[in-house]
Amino acid sequence: MTIQLSAPIVNPLREGLRLERTPKPAILTIFGASGDLTERKLIPALYDLARERRLPPEFTVVGFARRPYSDEEFRERLKEGVARYSRNKLGNVWENFARGIYYFQGDLEDPASYQQLGEFLGKLDRERGTQGNRAFYLATAPSYFKPIIENLGLAGLAGTVRNTRVVIEKPFGHDLASAQSLNQMVQSVFQEKQVYRIDHYLGKETVQNILVFRFANAIFEPLWNHRYIDHVQITVAETVGVENRGPYYDEAGGALRDMIQNHLMQMLALTAMEPPAAFEADTVRDEKVKVLRATTVARDSNGFKAVRGQYLDGWIAGEPVSAYRSEPRVRPGAKTGTYITARFDINNWRWKGVPFYLRTGKRMPKRVSEIALQFKDVPHQMFPSMVASQVSPNILVMRIQPDEGISLRIEAKRPAPDIALRSVNMDFRYGETFEVASPEAYERLLLDCLLGDQTLFTRADEVEAAWRIVMPLIHQWDNEETNDLTFYEAGSWGPTEASKLMDTGRRWRRL
Ligand SMILES: NC(=O)c1ccc[n+]([C@@H]2O[C@H](COP(=O)([O-])OP(=O)(O)OC[C@H]3O[C@@H](n4cnc5c(N)ncnc54)[C@H](OP(=O)(O)O)[C@@H]3O)[C@@H](O)[C@H]2O)c1
């Protein structure tokens, strides 16, 4: 018998005309369940879903890790996490939800653990009515991804497209070759339709809204091309440093691999892709792959149009903070880039000649993520030169976080007996308009996985296309002899070299 995990049902009384979706009963096994991600993100997200009655009563969680916990101890630990990190208060729902959480002590590298896990899941199926439906979540260090997949296969736990899914956390590979090798390994055990590669940015409401904004409004699409858009700026700025992740961050290769290859490339793809024929997993992802394949790092006679920087001592919000190289457990003299900016070109009809400038950095003055599309100047200036000099180009900004929303900068006449101009913003703010807190990215992603909807997960060819784009920079910067690392004061907007990357007449937005 084959069992389908998802079953769309309409509940018009509770949801108006919205299609509500509830997954079939299932067991979610989390590998690495004693770790930070499970405590801070996964269980609070599942708890929030349970509170909103998005999960079936049979839904079951099995946490897999090495340290000895009883079910009760594990639940207590997770309860504290929910109290701290859930967007809802800890309430009565917890007791009911927690009864479906179990702990399984095992070693990720020991095949016998997976045999025992299989037996345990079978027992839970019988006791809790989960009908053999399973999702395996790899919330471990990436070095464990291959052994887990291999061992699931050996233990006969790979199941079918209908009843088994596997969720893989980032980073998916550390370069193109390792991503390809991981894909091959994963696909030797699971079918691609069973695989859910996480980029949690895609779970953010405002990132998904890029698609709604572009493709549910008729007025933008005619302007969305090289005829009207001068350039695009994508910024993801963080105020935090590497905190305790120093060695991981260093080994992972800094902001290029940690941010540009995944989150910023996803933002670029959603902004630049062609309209898909339908809002379906493969149609949407086909278009993303197409645009990523057309994208390259720009270069001129001096080399790639890219700058990497690293933070020095500085100040954030009135507090002194130390340089990257003084962070705990970071190698002295590490050349890791904590700030990256680069110009990318998209070589197709729509975007020919429109630079996409991407920047991301740690220890910036503000936490902000946004996509800004700057329009071209008006074709002819009819105002006298004094006034014409005040005319600024229109800018459409999609704010991902914080203060989620969309704004359009337009020119307006200032109230006065003469002609004087000022730029003003038309502003849409999520918080004000909808008056509800947006769900956390992991809520959406976990629910979609249980429903069998892969639209917001990265497909094998997509993750490889994104790696292919950044490989030239990886080759250049992995070479320890390369001497182009720049520095910036913590609390500043990055190294001065970043502004030189901008082509004539353009500059980074002040945020
Ligand atoms: N933390 C975040 O906010 C975050 C955000 C985005 C992505 N991620 C990704 O999510 C993944 C997990 O991150 P994390 O921060 O949760 O990692 P973590 O805190 O290091 O947790 C990993 C867990 O794996 C378990 N483990 C390690 N070796 C094991 C073995 N041989 N057998 C069984 N269990 C073993 C450890 O538990 P025991 O010691 O009990 O065995 C540990 O609790 C990583 O890929 C990370 O890049 C994390």
Side-chain angles (χ1 to χ4, degrees):
M1 189 180 69
T2 48
I3 295 154
Q4 209 167 1
L5 278 174
S6 60
I9 53 160
V10 181
N11 179 349
L13 289 180
R14 222 180 92 209
E15 294 296 323
L17 289 175
R18 198 170 74 189
L19 191 67
E20 192 194 327
R21 306 174 304 162
T22 308
K24 285 276 190 183
I27 306 176
L28 175 72
T29 302
I30 304 175
F31 294 107
S34 58
D36 175 69
L37 184 71
T38 308
E39 185 187 359
R40 276 197 315 121
K41 297 285 182 191
L42 303 184
I43 298 294
L46 290 168
Y47 169 72
D48 287 331
L49 287 172
R51 263 189 67 113
E52 286 172 15
R53 301 209 177 97
R54 295 295 185 133
L55 298 177
E58 300 88 348
F59 180 73
T60 304
V61 175
V62 171
F64 181 120
R66 272 174 312 195
R67 64 194 79 169
Y69 281 133
S70 65
D71 290 340
E72 261 326 304
E73 286 166 339
F74 185 53
R75 290 169 188 164
E76 270 313 301
R77 180 194 151 103
L78 299 179
K79 186 177 177 181
E80 285 166 29
V82 167
R84 277 175 72 183
Y85 303 113
S86 159
R87 68 187 169 86
N88 287 300
K89 284 212 168 74
L90 194 61
N92 297 341
V93 176
W94 171 256
E95 296 309 324
N96 211 9
F97 175 67
R99 271 196 286 280
I101 300 180
Y102 299 83
Y103 185 71
F104 183 91
Q105 190 182 2
D107 189 324
L108 294 169
E109 292 183 298
D110 176 13
S113 288
Y114 295 79
Q115 290 294 345
Q116 290 152 9
L117 175 69
E119 287 159 23
F120 185 56
L121 297 181
K123 178 171 159 281
L124 287 178
D125 276 338
R126 289 187 294 278
E127 287 174 8
R128 294 191 51 85
T130 38
Q131 306 172 16
N133 295 324
R134 278 146 201 195
F136 296 104
Y137 198 117
L138 276 51
T140 67
S143 55
Y144 285 119
F145 293 170
K146 277 190 178 175
I148 298 173
I149 300 284
E150 191 177 8
N151 280 317
L152 284 172
L154 289 174
L157 291 172
T160 64
V161 171
R162 283 178 174 263
N163 67 12
T164 304
R165 282 147 208 177
V166 59
V167 187
I168 306 178
E169 258 298 336
K170 77 160 218 190
F172 196 91
H174 61 271
D175 57 14
L176 177 59
S178 59
Q180 285 170 328
S181 149
L182 183 54
N183 272 333
Q184 276 164 15
M185 163 77 218
V186 171
Q187 288 171 343
S188 70
V189 176
F190 291 97
Q191 296 178 53
E192 180 61 27
K193 289 233 176 299
Q194 295 178 277
V195 185
Y196 292 71
R197 295 173 193 78
I198 291 252
D199 182 325
H200 71 267
Y201 255 61
L202 290 176
K204 289 181 188 288
E205 284 282 308
T206 36
V207 171
Q208 293 161 47
N209 190 51
I210 299 170
L211 292 181
V212 176
F213 184 72
R214 284 193 60 195
F215 303 129
N217 293 295
I219 58 171
F220 300 110
E221 196 49 28
L223 307 177
W224 214 264
N225 57 53
H226 66 96
R227 278 189 289 281
Y228 295 96
I229 292 180
D230 180 73
H231 71 276
V232 178
Q233 300 185 13
I234 301 181
T235 302
V236 176
E238 301 175 294
T239 50
V240 292
V242 284
E243 298 175 309
N244 279 324
R245 291 171 70 223
Y248 161 79
Y249 189 80
D250 213 16
E251 200 183 312
L256 182 61
R257 286 170 162 108
D258 199 41
M259 301 295 289
I260 299 266
Q261 183 273 341
N262 37 59
H263 306 323
L264 281 90
M265 274 307 152
Q266 286 295 331
M267 287 158 78
L268 175 145
L270 293 171
T271 308
M273 71 198 255
E274 294 300 314
F279 189 57
E280 287 168 1
D282 277 331
T283 12
V284 170
R285 296 186 300 175
D286 286 346
E287 295 303 339
K288 282 162 71 189
V289 172
K290 260 163 57 186
V291 79
L292 289 172
R293 287 197 179 135
T295 305
T296 51
V297 190
R299 65 179 306 165
D300 61 15
S301 52
N302 297 321
F304 292 112
K305 296 203 132 229
V307 174
R308 66 173 171 160
Q310 191 183 84
Y311 59 83
L312 300 168
D313 292 340
W315 294 78
I316 301 267
E319 296 288 329
V321 294
S322 20
Y324 176 71
R325 288 179 181 171
S326 313
E327 297 278 17
R329 300 178 294 141
V330 167
R331 282 177 302 139
K335 285 189 169 179
T336 315
T338 58
Y339 174 98
I340 304 285
T341 183
R343 170 183 156 165
F344 293 89
D345 292 334
I346 300 178
N347 303 302
N348 63 17
W349 276 42
R350 186 188 284 267
W351 295 115
K352 193 70 198 163
V354 181
F356 279 66
Y357 299 103
L358 273 52
R359 65 173 163 171
T360 182
K362 289 194 176 295
R363 291 289 189 222
M364 305 267 104
K366 245 187 183 175
R367 172 175 171 262
V368 52
S369 301
E370 64 155 52
I371 300 164
L373 294 97
Q374 180 164 324
F375 287 82
K376 292 197 166 166
D377 290 330
V378 290
H380 166 68
Q381 271 302 351
M382 60 167 238
F383 297 108
S385 56
M386 276 291 283
V387 179
S389 65
Q390 300 168 15
V391 176
S392 304
N394 300 122
I395 300 179
L396 181 72
V397 180
M398 297 186 275
R399 292 189 303 271
I400 308 298
Q401 65 186 22
D403 191 20
E404 292 86 346
I406 288 167
S407 73
L408 177 63
R409 187 175 83 177
I410 52 177
E411 295 304 282
K413 181 184 175 307
R414 259 199 324 235
D418 53 355
I419 288 278
L421 305 189
R422 209 182 94 187
S423 301
V424 293
N425 281 332
M426 289 172 66
D427 220 359
F428 152 64
R429 288 163 192 259
Y430 258 81
E432 276 175 22
T433 305
F434 295 115
E435 292 181 342
V436 287
S438 293
E440 283 285 321
Y442 277 98
E443 287 175 51
R444 173 67 195 257
L445 296 174
L446 284 161
L447 186 62
D448 277 6
C449 167
L450 294 168
L451 288 161
D453 182 348
Q454 293 180 301
T455 312
L456 301 179
F457 296 85
T458 323
R459 207 169 58 190
D461 52 350
E462 189 180 346
V463 84
E464 290 178 16
W467 276 117
R468 202 168 278 118
I469 296 168
V470 297
M471 280 316 291
L473 295 177
I474 287 180
H475 285 313
Q476 175 166 313
W477 289 335
D478 272 2
N479 175 1
E480 283 289 311
E481 304 303 308
T482 314
N483 207 11
D484 61 358
L485 180 67
T486 61
F487 293 91
Y488 61 100
E489 212 175 288
S492 73
W493 279 107
T496 46
E497 287 77 358
S499 54
K500 294 187 203 142
L501 183 98
M502 283 297 200
D503 302 272
T504 323
R506 298 173 181 139
R507 60 184 171 78
W508 283 113
R509 276 165 50 73
R510 285 208 196 96
L511 299 175

